[in-house]
Amino acid sequence: LAGIKHYVQIGCLGHGTFGIVIKALDLRSDPPTEVAIKLLPRGDFVKNYQLYVRREIQNQSSLRHPLIVSLREVFLTPTHLAIAMEYAQGGDLFNYTLGHRPHGRLAEQQARWIFQQLIIGLDYSHRRGVANRDLKLENLLLDRDGRDGTRPLLKICDFGYSKHEQNSSAKTGVGTPVYMAPEVILGESKYDAKKADIWSCGVILYAMLYGKYPFDAKEARFARKIVTADYKLLPEVEVSMDCLDILTRVLVASPGDRMSMDEIKTHAWFLKGLPPGA
Ligand code: ADP
Ligand code: MG
Ligand code: MG
């Protein structure tokens, strides 16, 4: 962080598609505040991806919600464009699930707590006109470790592919293949990015419950399996009927038949254990 005197780097949090994310201390407060800073190389990179970088900053800063990572400030270093944001000390959900041995999965109640927060945070974002388009385990952070059975707060991050509805409906298929909705895989000329986000929530729920993805990118006919919603429930993992009901109604190939945000929010499984008025 050459030249930026009030920040000192104290660690590395992750390598993303385009840059790195470091952990730093903001020395302007006493005690210093822990922050995460995403560093994007300046020059050609930022020029080539200007549209996405601008959307990431604009869309994320327009969202102020406890379940969405908040932006603190954006500044330039001699070499990078730096996006300073709230630090989530529990790390990302991939590490917490699939990246974690031996099971790589969560108990149903824990998965529900994460899913409830994901839906509430996403609903807020959708109401503000912003679709995320890159929802996945790596982009869901936790404010602290909750493996002891406590309930960490979820923080949705990475608005790098996000889109505001005022910018015409989505045309480009962006995201990560395993999480992409059938209509995105099919390259449909105008898909509803909010409905595609809901599909990704289904993939995330499946992965949390079963410790694996519903669609395996290494298998033959991977794309075909997504577009026909051809996935298997695992009988060896015990999951309640209510939970399977919501899962199988979210992972529906046709966007028009897929559960809507309002249907999810009023489903019996979703409402369980949720504080009233949440
Ligand atoms: P990319 O667009 O390159 O995927 P992300 O914003 O998703 O970048 O960040 C990459 C990784 O860095 C995340 O998956 C997460 O592990 C870590 N990370 C990002 N932001 C934070 C944060 N605010 N607090 C803690 N870890 C973070
Ligand atoms: Mg990411
Ligand atoms: Mg990104």
Side-chain angles (χ1 to χ4, degrees):
L1 285 177
I4 312 297
K5 287 201 199 71
H6 55 264
Y7 283 115
V8 16
Q9 177 172 355
I10 54 172
C12 187
L13 296 170
H15 300 258
T17 351
F18 296 139
I20 60 162
V21 180
I22 61 164
K23 181 177 175 183
L25 290 176
D26 182 342
L27 303 176
R28 288 170 295 183
S29 63
D30 185 18
T33 314
E34 291 179 316
V35 298
I37 304 180
K38 189 172 198 168
L39 295 170
L40 302 170
R42 281 176 77 173
D44 285 350
F45 171 82
V46 170
K47 273 194 216 101
N48 295 342
Y49 293 95
Q50 213 176 45
L51 174 74
Y52 290 114
V53 175
R54 195 179 325 120
R55 281 182 183 170
E56 173 157 14
I57 295 167
Q58 268 172 4
N59 289 335
Q60 197 170 347
S61 63
S62 75
L63 303 173
R64 297 231 158 257
H65 193 278
L67 299 175
I68 295 175
V69 168
S70 59
L71 285 194
R72 293 170 57 91
E73 61 175 335
V74 178
F75 55 91
L76 290 170
T77 76
T79 49
H80 290 83
L81 172 69
I83 305 173
M85 56 194 150
E86 162 191 15
Y87 167 61
Q89 65 163 303
D92 69 61
L93 254 188
F94 180 83
N95 260 315
Y96 206 74
T97 56
L98 271 60
H100 186 74
R101 305 287 143 192
H103 293 307
R105 59 170 192 260
L106 301 180
E108 181 178 325
Q109 272 195 36
Q110 260 182 311
R112 188 178 63 214
W113 169 240
I114 303 285
F115 184 79
Q116 287 166 330
Q117 297 183 87
L118 170 59
I119 291 299
I120 294 170
L122 185 63
D123 183 42
Y124 164 82
S125 167
H126 283 181
R127 283 171 196 277
R128 302 297 308 253
V130 177
N132 181 287
R133 302 204 300 169
D134 199 15
L135 292 173
K136 55 176 170 177
L137 295 168
E138 294 87 334
N139 290 339
L140 300 178
L141 311 178
L142 297 168
D143 72 337
R144 59 189 163 76
D145 196 304
R147 274 184 215 112
D148 54 358
T150 53
R151 299 175 142 206
L153 272 195
L154 185 77
K155 302 274 177 182
I156 302 173
C157 81
D158 198 353
F159 286 75
Y161 284 136
S162 66
K163 197 167 191 336
H164 196 282
E165 61 198 355
Q166 276 165 3
N167 309 348
S168 66
S169 58
K171 283 195 293 288
T172 11
V174 295
T176 307
V178 179
Y179 295 89
M180 274 185 193
E183 61 273 22
V184 181
I185 295 270
L186 286 168
E188 282 175 15
S189 57
K190 278 192 171 182
Y191 66 90
D192 180 337
K194 294 178 185 172
K195 289 191 171 145
D197 272 352
I198 288 181
W199 170 277
S200 305
C201 292
V203 175
I204 290 165
L205 177 58
Y206 183 107
M208 290 193 294
L209 293 167
Y210 292 134
K212 66 193 280 286
Y213 298 119
F215 308 99
D216 184 348
K218 294 188 294 289
E219 269 178 30
R221 302 171 66 246
F222 165 66
R224 178 91 222 123
K225 284 184 177 157
I226 293 179
V227 300
T228 54
D230 178 9
Y231 60 91
K232 293 193 172 53
L233 301 174
L234 306 181
E236 66 270 28
V237 181
E238 207 177 304
V239 176
S240 72
M241 290 305 284
D242 271 351
C243 180
L244 293 180
D245 186 66
I246 205 166
L247 178 65
T248 54
R249 295 207 283 140
V250 167
L251 288 179
V252 167
S254 158
D257 297 332
R258 194 174 303 149
M259 267 182 128
S260 67
M261 191 60 97
D262 287 339
E263 286 166 338
I264 295 175
K265 281 167 50 196
T266 51
H267 189 280
W269 186 76
F270 179 86
L271 292 172
K272 248 180 243 165
L274 203 64

